[in-house]
Amino acid sequence: MGGTAPGPETAGFKAVGANALNRVRGLPRACALYVLYDPATVRPTALVRSTLLSSLRTAAYACVVRDRCRAEVVGILGSGDIARTLARLWARLDGPGPREVRLYSPHLRADALTTAIGPTPYRLVTARCPEDAVQGADLLVTATTAAAPVFSGSWLDDDAVHVNLGGHQAPLAFVERCARSGALIADDLEGTLRRGVQSLAIWWAGQDPARARPAVHDFTGAPWDTRRRPWHVNCVGRPDLDVALARWAVALAHEAGHGQVVTL
């Protein structure tokens, strides 16, 4: 994944290595490496080894959506770094957060999840099945690598909000419902369609080209939180945000007296 951060100071890219079998080895499924360059000389300036930065950037999308829809009850499907990072963020960010977070994991026991997340100011519920996590939630966050939908649209209320942070996680009927009676929102529509593995891209590819396609609102552009619900918010991960976040981490490391290689 490549990109250039805003401003002329830094350019760079992020490389991600992922292996689903890492879970059984007690390792994170994915790891991220950022390489930063001076655009004027194209000489490398820093190396950042950090899966945490990637997880923080992705989880931050869901934090923004929760603030905009003022969700009180949040369901999270997934138990990887992103899901756990999101649960920790809501436990530590300033300002009001959700009242209840329901987390479903097919891989980790309830006690392992609560230990990994730590104390929370909200009620943390480890759901027994996906439906228990989803039904009655104002906001659903899916953070999995699924190649097939992980929930049913019938589990969600009519004005629910869904944030897709992974693969093909949402039923196409739900995406259609959002397109016709709510709103579709994406951080990078072109990147989503090019990647082609997320629910929005799969739904888009199945549309009749002769029909007028509905608008997809820009996550980072004009306010979209006045749009009718339900919302389907798709986040593929913008590379310029990755590079900007890595640049910020390097600046903090320099202030602390560290060198050009940062591990977080």
Side-chain angles (χ1 to χ4, degrees), residues 19 89 91 112 120 187 224 231 246-247 263-264:
N19 185 347
L89 278 177
T120 63
D187 65 330
W224 38 262
W231 298 341
R247 187 177 67 195
T263 301
L264 296 174

Side-chain angles (χ1 to χ4, degrees), residues 178-223:
C178 294
R180 303 306 167 198
S181 60
L184 300 175
I185 300 121
D187 65 330
D188 181 356
L189 179 59
E190 182 180 341
T192 297
L193 299 180
R194 182 171 60 248
R195 188 176 177 189
V197 298
Q198 292 179 299
S199 301
L200 178 59
I202 293 170
W203 174 83
W204 190 276
Q207 299 303 295
D208 182 352
R211 293 174 56 192
R213 286 172 167 156
V216 179
H217 303 284
D218 184 356
F219 185 97
T220 59

Side-chain angles (χ1 to χ4, degrees), residues 52 81 83-93 116-118 122:
L52 174 61
D81 286 329
R84 294 196 298 271
T85 298
L86 178 56
R88 294 189 197 104
L89 278 177
W90 277 325
R92 290 161 177 79
L93 289 179
I117 294 168
Y122 55 78

